[in-house]
Amino acid sequence: MHNSRFPVIEMFGPTIQGEGMVIGQKTMFVRTAGCDYQCSWCDSAFTWNGLGKKEVRMLTAADIAAELKRLAAHTCSHVTISGGNPALLPHLEELINLLHESGIQVALETQGSLWKDWFLLIDDLTLSPKPPSSGMKTDWDKLDVIIANLKAQRRNFSLKVVVFDQSDLAYAASVHKRYDGIPFYVQSGNEDVLEEDTGIVLGRLMDKYKWLVDTVIASTELNNVRVLPQLHAWLWGNKRGY
């Protein structure tokens, strides 16, 4: 037992998961600090751009589990670990195992840039490689290894690509083709991460989602896919803690 400390920038919930393979799932959130990417449209840039530095607390797995218990008061049995990129953290199995011992399932999303053995402990793992609009470059060799490892272990995982424009959609189609047979989600992106008016955000998100649905329906390359909105942004806009 390492008794590691993890850089936690916020914990909140219960709420619902707004995206990916467990969309709609009642869940708690543990958001960790630090990322190896700097996506242009990141809705959690405070986890890596220095703006949230004063909010970071170095907590043990027991600290995190105790705070989640206080927040949920036995009303939630699912936790989502988010970031930033939580795949940067060594020994996260300490937290995952502790949550499992309490009967809590664990979801996690990462861009697929790093492998961690503790991925195999995650109940709902989403790999979300970043499209051209993010400004980031996918390391296909690393993603190939991660997916091969997960397939070999028959783990419950999926792929998700956030789409903002036609070039992102072409990227999504290439990911879907490269990893045929893996559950695949495309999700419309939020271009207005600084907009404070939830009504304005919702209108734009609905327009973007309708465009994505119409375009995917007409596509010959994106057949066996699920098309999602960012449900949390529909409900709460860009407010933190939901």
Side-chain angles (χ1 to χ4, degrees):
M1 186 71 173
H2 297 277
N3 204 30
S4 304
R5 289 186 178 271
F6 306 104
V8 176
I9 202 163
E10 62 180 354
M11 280 186 270
F12 60 90
T15 183
I16 61 163
Q17 172 58 259
E19 54 190 57
M21 65 191 292
V22 287
I23 190 169
Q25 170 71 48
K26 183 179 178 181
T27 190
M28 303 286 291
F29 272 87
V30 177
R31 190 180 300 283
T32 61
C35 194
D36 50 331
Y37 278 16
Q38 296 182 2
C39 295
S40 61
W41 35 251
C42 180
D43 60 2
S44 304
F46 61 90
T47 62
W48 50 261
N49 66 8
L51 293 179
K53 187 175 181 180
K54 292 181 179 179
E55 301 175 55
V56 176
R57 294 179 292 158
M58 299 303 296
L59 303 178
T60 65
D63 294 333
I64 296 169
E67 187 162 332
L68 290 170
K69 188 174 181 179
R70 287 194 298 272
L71 284 169
H74 306 291
T75 60
C76 192
S77 57
H78 190 278
V79 169
T80 300
I81 302 173
S82 186
N85 184 11
L88 291 168
L89 303 177
H91 311 307
L92 198 61
E93 69 276 1
E94 295 173 32
L95 175 59
I96 299 164
N97 288 332
L98 189 58
L99 293 172
H100 281 164
E101 288 168 13
S102 300
I104 295 172
Q105 289 192 308
V106 181
L108 184 139
E109 180 174 316
T110 178
Q111 58 261 42
S113 58
L114 299 162
W115 167 261
K116 286 290 187 292
D117 289 343
W118 51 255
F119 282 1
L120 300 175
L121 302 174
I122 298 294
D123 299 291
D124 307 302
L125 178 64
T126 298
L127 301 176
S128 184
K130 305 307 177 189
S133 64
S134 71
M136 300 294 106
K137 297 289 186 182
T138 300
D139 187 326
W140 296 107
D141 291 339
K142 287 183 179 178
L143 190 55
D144 286 349
V145 169
I146 290 170
I147 288 178
N149 287 345
L150 292 168
K151 286 178 69 175
Q153 298 286 336
R154 297 184 179 179
R155 303 311 299 167
N156 183 31
F157 75 103
S158 66
L159 283 158
K160 184 193 78 177
V161 175
V162 179
V163 172
F164 287 84
D165 54 32
Q166 203 69 45
S167 63
D168 287 355
L169 200 62
Y171 172 89
S174 70
V175 172
H176 187 42
K177 182 178 180 180
R178 187 182 187 99
Y179 305 114
D180 183 45
I182 306 301
F184 190 76
Y185 299 79
V186 288
Q187 178 181 295
S188 50
N190 178 11
E191 296 173 319
D192 301 301
V193 295
L194 299 178
E195 175 60 59
E196 295 181 359
D197 188 318
T198 301
I200 292 174
V201 174
L202 176 58
R204 291 171 179 168
L205 288 175
M206 289 180 70
D207 288 343
K208 181 66 73 173
Y209 182 56
K210 186 177 186 304
W211 167 80
L212 183 59
V213 168
D214 290 344
T215 307
V216 170
I217 286 172
S219 172
T220 58
E221 299 177 292
L222 291 163
N223 292 340
N224 188 21
V225 304
R226 300 178 188 181
V227 188
L228 301 180
Q230 273 193 318
L231 192 56
H232 58 290
W234 282 43
L235 293 171
W236 298 294
N238 293 316
K239 294 176 183 177
R240 281 180 57 182
Y242 292 94

